[in-house]
Coordinates of all heavy atoms in Angstrom, one line a residue:
E1460 N 105.4 54.7 151.5 CA 106.9 54.7 151.4 C 107.3 55.4 150.1 O 108.4 55.9 150.0 CB 107.4 53.2 151.3 CG 108.9 53.2 151.5 CD 109.5 51.8 151.3 OE1 109.2 50.9 152.1 OE2 110.2 51.6 150.3
D1482 N 103.6 50.3 152.6 CA 104.7 50.0 151.6 C 104.0 49.3 150.5 O 103.7 48.1 150.6 CB 105.8 49.2 152.2 CG 107.0 49.1 151.3 OD1 106.8 49.4 150.1 OD2 108.0 48.6 151.7
L1484 N 104.8 48.1 147.5 CA 105.4 46.9 146.9 C 106.8 46.8 147.5 O 107.7 47.4 147.0 CB 105.4 47.1 145.4 CG 105.4 45.7 144.7 CD1 104.1 45.0 145.0 CD2 105.4 46.0 143.2
D1485 N 106.9 46.0 148.6 CA 108.2 45.8 149.2 C 109.0 44.7 148.6 O 108.4 43.7 148.2 CB 107.9 45.5 150.7 CG 109.3 45.4 151.4 OD1 109.9 46.5 151.6 OD2 109.7 44.3 151.8
G1486 N 110.3 45.0 148.4 CA 111.2 44.0 147.8 C 111.1 44.0 146.3 O 111.5 43.0 145.7
R1646 N 112.1 50.9 157.3 CA 111.3 52.0 157.7 C 110.4 51.6 158.9 O 109.7 50.6 158.8 CB 110.5 52.7 156.6 CG 111.3 53.3 155.5 CD 111.8 52.2 154.6 NE 112.4 52.7 153.4 CZ 113.0 52.0 152.5 NH1 113.2 50.7 152.8 NH2 113.5 52.4 151.4
E1650 N 107.4 49.4 157.4 CA 107.9 48.0 157.4 C 107.9 47.4 158.9 O 107.3 46.4 159.2 CB 109.2 47.9 156.7 CG 109.1 48.2 155.2 CD 110.4 48.6 154.6 OE1 111.2 49.3 155.2 OE2 110.5 48.4 153.3
Ligands
MG268 MG1 110.0 48.5 151.5

Side-chain angles (χ1 to χ4, degrees):
E1460 194 187 292
D1482 184 349
L1484 211 58
D1485 184 68
R1646 294 74 168 175
E1650 291 157 334

